[in-house]
Amino acid sequence: MKKEEYNTFFIQGSSLSFSGTKNFIKQHSFQKIEGINDNPDILQNNKGNDWGVKDSTLYEISKERIVELANKNEPFLF
């Protein structure tokens, strides 16, 4: 997707260190990677449990990110 000039974004409601997720996503050339520890203002204040944020919270955050990407009028992968 990077070669085709897509904006690439990955979000996860838990730690990116779990199961090597961050390394895996970086190896696949994602430009923006966001996990619970990367956005303390939004994600950590909405923790559902020790694992991560509530699915409903992650869904709302994801919608915001998708709208931001769509407003750029460029192709993206979320």
Side-chain angles (χ1 to χ4, degrees):
M1 302 309 282
K2 184 178 180 181
K3 290 179 185 178
E4 298 297 324
E5 298 183 5
Y6 275 68
N7 291 313
T8 53
F9 192 104
F10 179 86
I11 191 169
Q12 180 169 298
S14 61
S15 172
L16 292 170
S17 65
F18 175 74
S19 206
T21 301
K22 189 171 191 171
N23 290 336
F24 178 81
I25 297 301
K26 280 186 173 184
Q27 287 175 352
H28 287 83
S29 300
F30 275 70
Q31 295 160 308
K32 179 74 175 160
I33 305 167
E34 190 173 294
I36 194 167
N37 300 323
D38 298 306
N39 194 333
D41 294 335
I42 296 173
L43 297 178
Q44 288 186 346
N45 292 332
N46 292 291
K47 286 180 84 169
N49 54 41
D50 289 337
W51 181 254
V53 299
K54 297 176 188 175
D55 288 343
S56 58
T57 300
L58 185 61
Y59 177 76
E60 292 301 323
I61 294 167
S62 296
K63 284 194 316 186
E64 291 173 14
R65 299 298 184 269
I66 290 169
V67 168
E68 290 169 8
L69 289 166
N71 285 337
K72 293 181 178 183
N73 290 323
E74 298 172 351
F76 67 91
L77 168 68
F78 185 86

